[in-house]
Amino acid sequence: MDLVLASTSPWRRTLLEQAGVPCRGEAPDVDERSVTAAGPTELACELALRKARSVARRFPDAWVLGADQVVHLGDRVFH
């Protein structure tokens, strides 16, 4: 079964490949600025979930990995 990374980040893909995990990256269709959450950790989790779901709709027979990070200082999130 194929592994599809729900990201076009070359860094995430390189991390996986260096760990011996072959994958391909696909751009998710997610408007990141429209997503809100209670805090930065919840926001990163919600973004990762939405990205994975977006890509999984296009690749229903593959494993899809969603990931995200959020830069923040206290409760202030920097986009």
Side-chain angles (χ1 to χ4, degrees), residues 7-8 17-20 22-23 25-26 41 45-47 56 60 64 66 69 77 79:
S7 171
T8 56
E17 289 175 345
Q18 286 179 347
C23 67
E26 291 289 336
T41 301
C45 290
E46 184 64 26
L47 287 167
V64 177
Q69 76 277 340
V77 174
H79 292 279

Side-chain angles (χ1 to χ4, degrees), residues 3-5 9 27 44-45 55 57 68 72 79:
L3 175 63
V4 180
L5 177 61
S9 167
C45 290
V55 171
R57 282 192 287 275
D68 210 307
H72 68 95
H79 292 279

Side-chain angles (χ1 to χ4, degrees), residues 34-54:
S34 71
V35 179
T36 59
T41 301
E42 294 81 9
L43 179 58
C45 290
E46 184 64 26
L47 287 167
L49 180 63
R50 289 185 188 203
K51 289 177 180 184
R53 285 180 175 161
S54 169

Side-chain angles (χ1 to χ4, degrees), residues 13-36:
R13 185 172 176 190
T14 297
L15 284 171
L16 288 168
E17 289 175 345
Q18 286 179 347
V21 181
C23 67
R24 71 175 188 265
E26 291 289 336
D29 184 21
V30 175
D31 177 9
E32 294 186 29
R33 294 206 176 235
S34 71
V35 179
T36 59

